[in-house]
Amino acid sequence: TKPHDRRVPIERFAKTSVKPKLRHYHPFGCPVYVLKNELQSRKSLPQWESRARVGVYLGPSPRHARSVALILNLETGMVSPQYHIRFDNLFETVP
């Protein structure tokens, strides 16, 4: 690269001027908590029922916005893009 080129490597690689945001980067395989489908569609759940399910982060979705992640559902083994998630970047919930 040229010394006066101030673009970050991802901008040079993708040939884009969109600056990557650090909040969209998470460790591969970190645990995530996905809001249950009923709550995503604004339905209610009984008071003591869990509101989230555990999944595994596989990376950003190539077909959606940067804030959408691909999540492995541990119960079904299926991978799906999810938006309503919380990341455990430090693996604090893993025994």
Side-chain angles (χ1 to χ4, degrees):
T1 63
K2 300 173 186 151
H4 65 277
D5 190 1
R6 295 180 182 231
R7 296 180 297 168
V8 294
I10 192 74
E11 289 178 307
R12 288 192 297 267
F13 175 74
K15 296 181 181 162
T16 181
S17 63
V18 177
K19 298 244 187 265
K21 295 181 180 168
L22 249 107
R23 68 177 175 196
H24 296 304
Y25 288 97
H26 304 282
F28 176 82
C30 75
V32 295
Y33 295 90
V34 182
L35 192 65
K36 285 199 171 178
N37 293 336
E38 295 85 10
L39 292 172
Q40 289 182 25
S41 59
R42 299 189 186 265
K43 296 178 184 172
S44 63
L45 288 176
Q47 183 176 3
W48 300 111
E49 190 171 326
S50 85
R51 300 184 180 282
R53 61 179 169 81
V54 178
V56 176
Y57 175 68
L58 299 179
S61 174
R63 296 185 180 185
H64 298 88
R66 286 183 278 173
S67 58
V68 176
L70 291 177
I71 305 298
L72 171 67
N73 185 335
L74 297 177
E75 296 172 2
T76 64
M78 303 290 289
V79 176
S80 63
Q82 296 291 326
Y83 176 74
H84 299 282
I85 52 180
R86 293 286 181 246
F87 293 91
D88 179 16
N89 290 330
L90 301 176
F91 294 81
E92 294 174 328
T93 58
V94 177

